Amino acid sequence: MAKPVMADKHLHFAQALSPGGWAKHVRIGIADGVITTLVEGVEAEAGDECHAIGLPGMPNLHSHAFQRGMAGLAERRGPGDDSFWTWREIMYRFVDRIDPDGLRAIAALAYMEMLESGFTRVGEFHYLHHDPAGEVYADPAEMSRAIIAAAAETGIALTHLPVFYAHAGFGGAAPQPGQRRFLHDLDGFARLLDGARAAAMQLPDAIVGVAPHSLRAVTAAELGHLPALAGNNPIHIHIAEQVKEVEDCLAWSGQRPVQWLLDHAGVDARWCLVHATHMTPDETRALAASGAVAGLCPITEANLGDGLFPAPAFLAAGGRFGIGSDSNVLIDMSEELRWLEYGQRLFARGRNMLAPDAGRSTGQVLFEGALAGGAQALGVAAGLSVGHAADMISLDPDHPSLAGRSGAALLDSFLFAAGRGAIDRVWRRGKDVVRDGRHIARAAVIADYRRALEPLVA
Ligand code: ZN
């Protein structure tokens, strides 16, 4: 029989969201970063650290950290109609100049902001691999090391998703010059994965998955080789984000992207389909039935003018979803969830669109759904339970928007009224990395970011 583990410390919450719902007087023991005991309905003991409102940390299932550095730089109207594709040209020009240390500094800022907004694990969909000339670095995982260093510096948990990217369009079209830093063949990609896995060992609980970039960037034959490289770890892909992508896929295969992927790639619960914006009702039901997670990025999808995910039909079919900050134009967990709901309200001219039954709290449905789906997509267990990492948030009970609230009403008021300003502390593996809403290394991370950004925006 295993020896009971003695807790290093105890946290006590007047109320906390546990897997069984809201509980009162929750005492959580933590040892080596992991929850070892969780008892409800008990008072605090001497030496406990006491807080009012506890929530599990939220997974951020989709990020391109370097894009934080260009946030706001693509909001000026161009000569013609602007679109995702004109935004991508600006992104390619920005990406041309980033070196490993610059990537580390930008990623550290993004990860710090994620923690401050309540995200405790990030899925980094990482495609910036090579030097500015497109040559492989002496260490092929040099840029992955920069991401891992940023995670170590800020304390965020990392699910690293090295991206396989080989082509510029469906059917293996030759890559463009702007894509030269992203490209691999399958052998080179296997070397990158080996390097990234070795580097990730320095983090306490990192996971390394695999990410075929999109059906534009990977041939059917290449896609067939990638799931085996993931083992049991997550597989993420961008899909059906843009109408043009749907049209190009139809022209190439006669099928729409989600339909093609479900028919050809063995999609299961290891997979996360990022965006999946443009689906027919049949695709929506089939994706829900596959057990894969839909990776929704409402702020970025709004910013890029992607379109609106068919969330009510997907949830009604039992679909699983999580949220991602994607382009990192604005990093804010509560705002992602708010916009997931608000997009549907604006479209359908209704309210409480994602709560399934009368009387259900929209805030709690959004929070618990994104928690479970996000954790699945990042390869970890969700929520506050014994054996899980002690990744937690506390809300400030003195925030005026939370006055007099308890239980589900706290989540509704946090997500729809207070926002990130109500976040007091954030713990990673039991260590508080955010206090009074600010990361403990905030000043140093920002100073480092400013220095790194100067040559990139000059
Ligand atoms: Zn993306």
Side-chain angles (χ1 to χ4, degrees), residues 62 64 125 238 241 274-275 326:
H62 189 68
H64 310 286
F125 194 104
H238 288 130
E241 180 178 6
V274 180
H275 306 303
D326 192 3

Side-chain angles (χ1 to χ4, degrees), residues 360-410:
R360 289 285 293 278
S361 148
T362 298
Q364 189 151 337
V365 167
L366 290 168
F367 192 91
E368 290 184 326
L371 178 70
Q376 178 183 320
L378 298 186
V380 293
L384 302 181
S385 293
V386 171
H388 297 184
D391 297 350
M392 292 176 285
I393 307 166
S394 77
L395 301 182
D396 172 12
D398 295 329
H399 193 287
S401 294
L402 304 187
R405 312 293 201 272
S406 68
L410 278 171

Side-chain angles (χ1 to χ4, degrees), residues 62-64 67 84 87 125 127 213 237-238 241 274-275 297 300 304 325-327:
H62 189 68
S63 159
H64 310 286
Q67 292 177 14
F84 170 86
W87 170 86
F125 194 104
Y127 58 84
H213 178 272
I237 187 168
H238 288 130
E241 180 178 6
V274 180
H275 306 303
C297 311
T300 296
L304 295 180
S325 62
D326 192 3
S327 69

Side-chain angles (χ1 to χ4, degrees), residues 137-158:
Y137 282 108
D139 172 358
E142 179 86 26
M143 294 297 253
S144 285
R145 284 183 187 279
I147 292 294
I148 289 160
E153 198 176 320
T154 55
I156 201 164
L158 178 67

